[in-house]
Amino acid sequence: MRKRKVFNQFLLKNLIIWFFVLSYKLYAREIIKPYEIENWTIPESEIDRYVFSYLKKLNIKPSFPCSDEVFIRRIYLDTIGILPQPQEVIDFINDKNPDKRKKIIDKLLEKKEFAEYWSMKWADILRIKSEFPINLWPNGVQAYYMWILNSLKDNKPYDKFVRELLTSSGSNFRVPPVNFYRALQGRTPSSIASAVCLTFLGIRFEKLPKQIQDGMSNFFSKISYKKSLEWKEEIVYVNLENEEALEATFPDGTKVKIQPNRDPREVFADWLIRPENPYFSKNIVNRIWSWIFGRGIIHPPDDIGPHNPPIIPELLNYLEKELVNSNYNLKHIYRIIFNSRTYQQSFIPYEKNLENERYFASYPVRRIEAEVLLDIINNILGSGNEYVSQIPEPFTFIPSEQRNVLLGDGSITGPFLELFGRPPRDTGYESERSNKITEEQIRYLLNSSELHRKIQSSSYIKTLIRETRGDKRKIVENIYLKLLSRYPMEFEVEILFNYFSDTNIPLNQCIEDIIWALINNKEFLYKH
Amino acid sequence: MRYRKILWFFLTIFLLCCKNSFSQSEIKPKAKSVIQIWLWGGPSHLDTFDPKPFAGYDYAGPFKSIATNVPGIEINELLVNLAKLADKYSIIRSMTHGINAHETASYLMQTGHSSEENLVYPAIGAVVSLFKGYDYGYKGILPPYIVLTTSQGRFSECGFLGEKYKPFITGGDPNRTPFAVEGIVLEGITETRKNARRHLLYSIDVLGKLVPWIKEFEWFDLCREKAYEIISGEISKVFDLTTEPEEVRNMYGRNTFGQSCLVARRLIEKGVVYVTINYKGWDTHSNHFQQMRQKLPEFDMGLSSLIKDLSERGLLDTTIIWVSGEFGRTPKIQWEPPWNGGRNHYGKCFSVLVCGGGFKGGCIVGASDEKGENVVERPVYPRDLLGSIYYLLGIDPESKFPEKFGKNVTILPPIDKGNKIGLLKEIMNE
């Protein structure tokens, strides 16, 4: 009798414990408003099937879906590098169409600002700058950068884009893609091969076996450069005077004999740009993934090789196939990623877990890139930054209205951009750009005279006071929509109302302080 | 007992040997810090430290030379204050590299490496801040490498060392009050408002309260704490020139360069390892002489006061000052329009001034020909100059970068060895 009682008690105790454990597992956390929502409004995509099945295997819970407010801010930053206007946020939140996220993605991908924002990335990895160590010179930079920008605007198929870069000949001013062979520190066949390898295969040349390095260099051994009578013009051409056949090696180790009258670069491009070449599409889809998630399926994305396997191989294969089947349409890859649940997860991990980020179980928070951050601050405050080239031949003046992402020349830069990790564009490595916040950056945001002056003389504050006629609730709402792309929560309104009333600071200065505090806020500084 | 004595004997000899072999491989540093005065654009060597009064008007132009306090050394007539201090500095008149383009010459002069090499090397300031900075026990409250007031711009100072070794760039203008050092000194906000703002900042940090454990946010909070420590701490006082006596500020010259020199002295006093003053306006293609009349007195006042002041405070023995541009300017003057008396870029032969920190004063190194066009004696290459500065700082000029930056990457290309070749041993103190 007693035994049974003890046993019952034991059972009961266990049941209670299990109940708690289970409920903890099931209801461990609720959604966090206003950043998350309970249920998905978009269908599961192919991408999600790969990602979520991995998460399940590893017992990692994916995050909740992100809210509309978070989504609209995120998608604007990731597609065009601009914040949505308050009215756009309001319209989007109120839109009842279940397809509204898909629709806005389609709309943004077609904007010219999409090409502008992503041309910055391409200019980074193609090392576009006029001064040391690349020395493209201003006119060359202009021609090359405009060519890239227009290629992106036209959504030029990626295979065509790469072929033009690899096989063009002619003047650096008149045939812009030849600048690919000029945007290098050294012009030896091996340094050209090294740049080709890094850019289009994502492979570090120095990690290939020596005989492959040498054999691959042969593809670029006939490239020559000559000056013309026009100042700083340079002609890139292939010198086929030599009568002998050339033997070269592809990165995969296969050898090839090239007839003397054939441009070896063409032979290389023919090998590279084929649907069945495993290196070609892998590199670019993995890069796009890493540009969007801050982390590649192979990471870092420009160090591919047997030592660095993909974390979800099936996902990478799928994206490769999508690229080839869409005729090398890069926008298609962007589109399927943006439309996935994986992308639209909340930035708050479901639970603390170190593996979260590696397996894409939440949207990773990252500080906004230098150029974009300056653009959005200028855009809000109605301010701008002017730039002048270092080279006085002739001086290039960049007007203050121009977006910073459109600074095609890496040599034209300013203290803000330098401080916030704009890459020097020396090597083309992805790691050159740093989006990690530093103590110096925070000091700038807290205490810079430049920023202070911008806020003080901001046209936004004047319009705001005029248009709201000093109505404090409207002011606070507008500031939050403008800077954080969401309505303020009730307790935030309260804090700010207290700030208006408790301090003896005049209204316009109060608004300055609020804007200053929000610019210093994590929610503003980070993509989330 | 006897054995023990013998044992002691051998042990002493062994220890002595060890000590010897150590002192052979390690260089004893003479200098603790460096001030680099960068004459951005390239000053004319003929119109500064290598005057050629007998080369004719087409070379010498309107300027004369004056005697200094060291017999036999003459410099430009406008450098009156520096002429009184020639015993404190030495002049290299045989600097050469032959490059006439700003960006590649600047790179070569500050890294010692040719731009043809496959790596992008860091500037000397970044190298020094690596070997003398936080990684090797630097404990100063200020960053070890500071640039007044704008960045070099032609190339990235930190090279392959990466962001961590970038200089701290002050921004602002020390000739204005306050010297608004970006991110440290903010003008025009009262203390009460500052405190209110800071309180506001924390109270609306929603994410900081909801999810402080997100890795990026944890790091952000750490950085912000450190930032506030710096803003409210000692550092901002170093840049406050109003605490300097009026006559000292006037002595240095009430202009950006003069006051930058004064700030440099204050930074050296606080233990900063490397200070660069980027002094623009020397790329004088046209109206060269009018511009020199305006620039040289300002340059003379600032630099001479810096040398005198450091010397009086006993800091010159441990502080190297080096003054150079990326190249000199063509000795033959272009009188024709559009230059109207201008000088072009000239990297084949030019002058550099070195001072303090173990460099002797009152010496001339090398010589140029009678028109200042060619080096005729003891060529000095950028690697020799930088190597000598490294040597005096106790950094072996032949040493390598730590492995994490690549295998077998030396800080300088090989330096020639021998008498009056390579390192500037002839002007180093014993």
Side-chain angles (χ1 to χ4, degrees):
Chain A
M1 195 61 183
R2 234 189 120 209
K3 252 187 186 169
R4 178 171 281 183
K5 209 175 172 186
V6 171
F7 180 67
N8 271 348
Q9 258 179 357
F10 178 67
L11 207 70
L12 197 69
K13 222 176 179 178
N14 249 335
L15 266 175
I16 290 168
I17 290 171
W18 272 109
F19 177 71
F20 274 110
V21 169
L22 271 176
S23 58
Y24 179 75
K25 274 275 174 204
L26 285 173
Y27 305 106
R29 92 165 173 74
E30 290 183 350
I31 58 161
I32 297 177
K33 282 181 183 167
Y35 307 108
E36 299 176 330
I37 50 174
E38 203 80 55
N39 298 313
W40 283 109
T41 55
I42 58 160
E44 198 178 59
S45 74
E46 198 72 18
I47 290 176
D48 305 326
R49 275 191 270 282
Y50 295 115
V51 176
F52 292 157
S53 72
Y54 255 77
L55 293 179
K56 204 164 190 182
K57 240 191 285 175
L58 294 157
N59 219 0
I60 301 171
K61 272 209 142 200
S63 306
F64 284 109
C66 72
S67 65
D68 283 346
E69 293 91 320
V70 170
F71 176 75
I72 189 170
R73 181 188 177 85
R74 179 187 298 176
I75 194 72
Y76 265 69
L77 285 174
D78 280 340
T79 49
I80 60 174
I82 293 172
L83 287 184
Q85 287 301 318
Q87 197 52 49
E88 290 173 302
V89 177
I90 297 170
D91 290 347
F92 186 73
I93 295 173
N94 293 337
D95 190 352
K96 293 279 178 289
N97 189 338
D99 276 345
K100 63 181 177 179
R101 292 195 181 186
K102 187 168 173 292
K103 267 173 62 189
I104 206 161
I105 293 168
D106 288 340
K107 191 185 96 186
L108 293 171
L109 286 177
E110 291 317 313
K111 280 185 166 253
K112 75 171 194 318
E113 287 85 356
F114 173 79
E116 291 175 0
Y117 172 55
W118 288 98
S119 71
M120 175 178 89
K121 261 288 180 242
W122 279 102
D124 286 352
I125 62 172
L126 293 173
R127 304 164 302 272
I128 300 189
K129 70 192 287 192
S130 54
E131 294 219 24
F132 187 81
I134 299 306
N135 296 335
L136 278 176
W137 283 88
N139 288 346
V141 165
Q142 283 294 327
Y144 195 19
Y145 178 68
M146 286 316 288
W147 180 83
I148 289 167
L149 186 60
N150 287 329
S151 301
L152 290 170
K153 276 185 186 157
D154 303 342
N155 196 25
K156 186 179 281 176
Y158 180 65
D159 55 339
K160 196 162 171 256
F161 178 71
V162 176
R163 187 175 286 277
E164 284 176 38
L165 284 170
L166 281 176
T167 60
S168 296
S169 301
S171 149
N172 56 337
F173 301 157
R174 284 159 195 82
V175 190
V178 302
N179 284 294
F180 177 78
Y181 289 114
R182 296 180 66 249
L184 305 156
Q185 199 184 339
R187 287 178 175 185
T188 56
S190 72
S191 54
I192 297 174
S194 167
V196 169
C197 214
L198 181 74
T199 318
F200 302 121
L201 302 170
I203 291 174
R204 300 287 168 100
F205 189 63
E206 63 275 13
K207 292 192 179 168
L208 291 173
K210 185 78 175 73
Q211 66 269 28
I212 292 184
Q213 287 184 18
D214 294 342
M216 194 186 154
S217 302
N218 284 344
F219 288 111
F220 308 100
S221 60
K222 305 255 162 140
I223 297 173
S224 302
Y225 304 86
K226 65 182 173 197
K227 300 266 180 250
S228 76
L229 287 178
E230 190 177 340
W231 190 60
K232 293 287 178 196
E233 188 180 46
E234 195 171 44
I235 315 292
V236 180
Y237 66 106
V238 173
N239 190 348
L240 294 175
E241 275 165 18
N242 200 333
E243 298 285 302
E244 275 167 50
L246 185 73
E247 202 182 83
T249 318
F250 294 116
D252 63 2
T254 23
K255 289 196 165 68
V256 63
K257 251 209 164 71
I258 305 164
Q259 290 316 304
N261 56 354
R262 189 108 207 261
D263 180 350
R265 304 177 308 171
E266 299 256 2
V267 179
F268 181 80
D270 288 344
W271 170 85
L272 179 72
I273 306 164
R274 290 172 303 153
E276 59 276 20
N277 187 334
Y279 301 94
F280 183 60
S281 23
K282 183 184 282 118
N283 167 57
I284 186 64
V285 294
N286 185 50
R287 274 191 202 255
I288 292 178
W289 184 276
S290 89
W291 293 341
I292 294 172
F293 287 94
R295 190 176 178 87
I297 302 164
I298 299 175
H299 195 74
D302 51 6
D303 189 6
I304 296 179
H307 61 286
N308 188 11
I311 196 128
I312 308 178
E314 298 84 348
L315 173 61
L316 197 56
N317 289 341
Y318 164 71
L319 292 171
E320 285 169 49
K321 265 191 223 110
E322 283 296 312
L323 182 71
V324 174
N325 293 341
S326 67
N327 243 330
Y328 296 99
N329 179 351
L330 295 184
K331 256 185 203 171
H332 175 69
I333 301 299
Y334 283 101
R335 186 173 283 118
I336 58 176
I337 295 176
F338 289 142
N339 276 303
S340 70
R341 289 182 176 179
T342 306
Y343 173 77
Q344 298 188 16
Q345 287 174 102
S346 164
F347 63 98
I348 306 170
Y350 186 82
E351 53 196 355
K352 279 191 237 181
N353 186 327
L354 292 174
E355 296 283 275
N356 269 323
E357 233 172 76
R358 246 155 79 87
Y359 290 95
F360 314 107
S362 57
Y363 179 86
V365 292
R366 278 152 298 155
R367 204 209 68 225
I368 295 172
E369 304 99 314
E371 294 92 328
V372 179
L373 187 58
L374 189 52
D375 276 338
I376 62 178
I377 289 176
N378 282 341
N379 205 308
I380 291 164
L381 301 175
S383 52
N385 289 62
E386 280 173 13
Y387 299 93
V388 189
S389 65
Q390 298 286 347
I391 301 184
E393 299 156 356
F395 276 122
T396 313
F397 291 90
I398 310 286
S400 61
E401 308 85 56
Q402 186 183 304
R403 293 178 71 189
N404 286 283
V405 296
L406 276 173
L407 283 176
D409 188 343
S411 298
I412 298 180
T413 185
F416 182 97
L417 300 180
E418 291 274 297
L419 178 64
F420 282 81
R422 186 186 194 218
R425 292 184 181 166
D426 292 347
T427 60
Y429 292 155
E430 296 268 355
S431 58
E432 263 196 11
R433 181 179 286 278
S434 168
N435 293 334
K436 201 171 169 68
I437 199 119
T438 64
E439 175 267 312
E440 289 89 347
Q441 292 168 10
I442 292 185
R443 239 180 323 103
Y444 175 92
L445 296 166
L446 288 174
N447 224 13
S448 139
S449 306
E450 188 196 17
L451 183 62
H452 181 61
R453 267 194 303 275
K454 277 185 182 177
I455 296 175
Q456 245 178 348
S457 55
S458 164
S459 54
Y460 170 56
I461 296 180
K462 288 176 202 112
T463 339
L464 191 61
I465 297 176
R466 197 177 54 236
E467 284 181 357
T468 57
R469 296 206 189 86
D471 181 334
K472 286 179 184 132
R473 180 169 278 276
K474 279 187 185 155
I475 290 175
V476 171
E477 249 174 34
N478 194 290
I479 294 177
Y480 266 72
L481 283 166
K482 187 126 182 154
L483 273 82
L484 302 187
S485 319
R486 66 168 170 87
Y487 286 106
M489 290 177 267
E490 225 19 73
F491 81 93
E492 288 171 315
V493 176
E494 212 168 286
I495 291 170
L496 296 180
F497 274 20
N498 286 340
Y499 195 76
F500 284 124
S501 56
D502 285 1
T503 50
N504 291 323
I505 304 167
L507 180 66
N508 64 322
Q509 289 192 2
C510 274
I511 297 176
E512 283 171 22
D513 292 350
I514 293 170
I515 291 176
W516 167 85
L518 284 181
I519 286 178
N520 273 284
N521 194 297
K522 292 167 188 136
E523 209 174 324
F524 178 78
L525 292 169
Y526 286 83
K527 283 189 186 183
H528 62 264
Chain B
M1 207 52 193
R2 214 162 130 208
Y3 283 116
R4 197 176 279 178
K5 258 186 188 163
I6 292 168
L7 210 69
W8 270 115
F9 177 67
F10 277 115
L11 200 70
T12 331
I13 288 194
F14 176 66
L15 281 175
L16 276 173
C17 287
C18 279
K19 206 179 157 234
N20 262 344
S21 63
F22 266 116
S23 57
Q24 262 166 15
S25 64
E26 246 176 59
I27 304 163
K28 234 183 130 206
K30 293 197 177 76
K32 284 186 195 147
S33 38
V34 181
I35 299 173
Q36 172 188 344
I37 295 178
W38 187 252
L39 307 178
W40 209 93
S44 159
H45 47 304
L46 265 65
D47 301 324
T48 52
F49 300 112
D50 195 6
K52 301 287 177 189
F54 305 113
Y57 195 67
D58 279 350
Y59 287 84
F63 292 136
K64 295 187 183 60
S65 62
I66 46 167
T68 63
N69 65 344
V70 174
I73 298 183
E74 296 201 349
I75 58 175
N76 184 290
E77 59 174 333
L78 293 176
L79 304 174
V80 278
N81 293 303
L82 282 169
K84 294 175 198 151
L85 295 169
D87 57 319
K88 298 244 185 297
Y89 54 79
S90 291
I91 298 168
I92 302 164
R93 284 183 175 161
S94 52
M95 198 69 210
T96 179
H97 54 56
I99 290 170
N100 292 338
H102 288 292
E103 69 290 342
T104 36
S106 301
Y107 175 77
L108 178 57
M109 278 302 286
Q110 296 191 46
T111 65
H113 289 272
S114 142
S115 51
E116 311 278 298
E117 290 176 61
N118 266 330
L119 284 171
V120 183
Y121 283 87
I124 172 168
V127 176
V128 174
S129 76
L130 164 69
F131 287 107
K132 298 276 160 186
Y134 297 112
D135 300 2
Y136 292 79
Y138 175 77
K139 293 217 168 55
I141 50 159
L142 289 149
Y145 178 21
I146 297 182
V147 171
L148 298 161
T149 54
T150 56
S151 79
Q152 135 76 31
R154 294 268 186 209
F155 62 94
S156 173
E157 286 96 340
C158 58
F160 61 68
L161 293 182
E163 249 200 319
K164 197 178 154 198
Y165 300 93
K166 263 190 187 172
F168 171 75
I169 295 160
T170 61
D173 180 357
N175 196 35
R176 286 184 50 196
T177 306
F179 175 20
V181 178
E182 269 304 282
I184 291 187
V185 182
L186 180 59
E187 7 182 2
I189 288 196
T190 60
E191 272 314 302
T192 22
R193 190 169 159 208
K194 257 184 213 166
N195 290 334
R197 275 157 64 106
R198 190 168 172 183
H199 183 74
L200 177 69
L201 191 71
Y202 286 104
S203 59
I204 59 169
D205 180 12
V206 178
L207 291 185
K209 283 175 192 144
L210 276 178
V211 277
W213 44 268
I214 288 184
K215 256 193 315 181
E216 299 284 325
F217 294 167
E218 272 179 353
W219 172 247
F220 180 96
D221 287 336
L222 267 176
C223 290
R224 180 139 78 192
E225 245 170 67
K226 206 177 151 206
Y228 263 121
E229 251 171 52
I230 287 177
I231 292 168
S232 42
E234 281 293 305
I235 293 185
S236 53
K237 288 184 195 142
V238 181
F239 293 106
D240 181 9
L241 291 182
T242 54
T243 56
E244 282 292 331
E246 206 55 15
E247 61 269 22
V248 173
R249 295 196 72 180
N250 292 339
M251 175 179 84
Y252 274 90
R254 299 306 276 254
N255 53 64
T256 304
F257 174 68
Q259 300 301 300
S260 298
C261 287
L262 177 54
V263 175
R265 189 214 79 207
R266 293 168 66 95
L267 295 176
I268 296 297
E269 283 178 312
K270 287 281 172 203
V272 174
V273 183
Y274 205 100
V275 180
T276 301
I277 300 175
N278 281 324
Y279 184 12
K280 294 198 179 186
W282 297 89
D283 194 14
T284 48
H285 285 278
S286 55
N287 298 321
H288 168 80
F289 295 99
Q290 288 93 311
Q291 293 192 59
M292 283 301 107
R293 277 187 203 289
Q294 183 256 321
K295 272 210 113 60
L296 287 176
E298 177 185 297
F299 169 65
D300 178 57
M301 254 176 123
L303 179 59
S304 61
S305 307
L306 179 63
I307 294 173
K308 232 180 353 197
D309 208 1
L310 282 177
S311 164
E312 279 164 15
R313 285 161 196 262
L315 288 166
L316 194 59
D317 291 338
T318 52
T319 307
I320 297 171
I321 304 175
W322 69 287
V323 184
S324 175
E326 56 266 46
F327 37 53
R329 305 201 79 80
T330 33
K332 191 165 189 317
I333 299 158
Q334 296 166 295
W335 291 113
E336 70 280 9
W339 316 114
N340 305 317
R343 293 188 192 270
N344 207 337
H345 308 164
Y346 202 74
K348 211 163 140 194
C349 174
F350 59 106
S351 305
V352 171
L353 181 145
V354 292
C355 176
F359 280 120
K360 284 182 197 163
C363 300
I364 297 284
V365 176
S368 58
D369 62 13
E370 69 274 19
K371 287 176 176 165
E373 287 178 325
N374 297 294
V375 171
V376 293
E377 195 188 305
R378 211 261 191 241
V380 178
Y381 300 100
R383 56 177 185 269
D384 304 331
L385 173 66
L386 301 184
S388 305
I389 297 172
Y390 288 141
Y391 184 85
L392 289 174
L393 286 163
I395 302 169
D396 182 357
E398 288 178 359
S399 58
K400 290 175 188 143
F401 284 103
E403 244 346 66
K404 61 178 168 181
F405 300 111
K407 273 196 180 131
N408 290 325
V409 185
T410 53
I411 60 173
L412 286 174
I415 296 171
D416 301 321
K417 289 196 180 70
N419 190 24
K420 295 221 167 182
I421 188 167
L423 294 187
L424 298 160
K425 295 258 178 169
E426 66 264 42
I427 52 165
M428 288 183 196
N429 289 326
E430 285 308 305

